Amino acid sequence: MNGVGCTVNYRRYADVMGTWRVVNSSNMEPMLKAVGMPADKIKEAAGEKYDAMTAHKGKGVWETSNTSKVWAFPPQLFRFGEEFTINMEGMTITEINVLTKTGIQTASQVNGLTIDSSSVVGNNFTTLTMCIAGQPATKCSTIFVRV
């Protein structure tokens, strides 16, 4: 090696890229009611099985989109660690995401409420748990499968 040395460092992050389909969700109604979703949409939203897609676009930019009829929003570009805004079903949601070794940690604000979210990503499944800060009865969870 002619006396030349080097050090290689890397960090492992969860593989969030791809398409994920909702297979199960629980206790969504209290969360949706608290954030102000119209009553006629709550039951439909809580039972919907949609696909969520995440793709790396390069240079730290990511894109998220979905096939939801109730949760619909246009494809959204974002960077982990930077705040961004989504307009969805008449609600403005401000969010920041942090990519971790096990998934994504998210803090969101909608209608004056702060929502804490945590996803744990596996090879084939992802679990997403959300709760409005200070309102433990709104804790809900969703399970996704990689498709």
Side-chain angles (χ1 to χ4, degrees):
M1 299 238 341
N2 299 329
V4 176
C6 71
T7 302
V8 176
N9 294 312
Y10 70 94
R11 296 182 96 173
R12 179 199 174 281
Y13 289 106
D15 179 13
V16 298
M17 290 189 293
T19 301
W20 298 88
R21 180 165 296 140
V22 173
V23 292
N24 188 16
S25 59
S26 64
N27 203 40
M28 294 296 292
E29 292 86 352
M31 166 76 75
L32 300 175
K33 184 177 179 183
V35 298
M37 182 173 272
D40 61 327
K41 294 276 190 179
I42 289 175
K43 190 167 190 89
E44 185 180 356
E48 186 178 30
K49 307 293 189 223
Y50 61 91
D51 290 351
M53 292 75 70
T54 304
H56 186 246
K57 298 308 235 181
K59 297 187 179 183
V61 177
W62 294 75
E63 181 179 62
T64 186
S65 60
N66 69 39
T67 62
S68 174
K69 304 264 188 287
V70 181
W71 298 98
F73 60 88
Q76 179 71 42
L77 297 176
F78 71 97
R79 291 177 185 270
F80 284 106
E82 293 182 10
E83 187 177 292
F84 65 98
T85 301
I86 297 174
N87 291 305
M88 182 169 39
E89 295 300 316
M91 295 185 288
T92 300
I93 302 169
T94 303
E95 204 167 89
I96 188 166
N97 296 306
V98 177
L99 185 61
T100 69
K101 289 181 181 181
T102 58
I104 300 174
Q105 292 292 123
T106 302
S108 308
Q109 286 193 325
V110 58
N111 294 337
L113 300 169
T114 300
I115 302 171
D116 298 317
S117 306
S118 177
S119 66
V120 177
V121 178
N123 290 332
N124 299 306
F125 293 95
T126 293
T127 59
L128 171 65
T129 304
M130 299 185 290
C131 188
I132 296 174
Q135 298 184 30
T138 63
K139 185 175 182 180
C140 58
S141 62
T142 303
I143 299 172
F144 296 84
V145 64
R146 193 184 297 266
V147 292

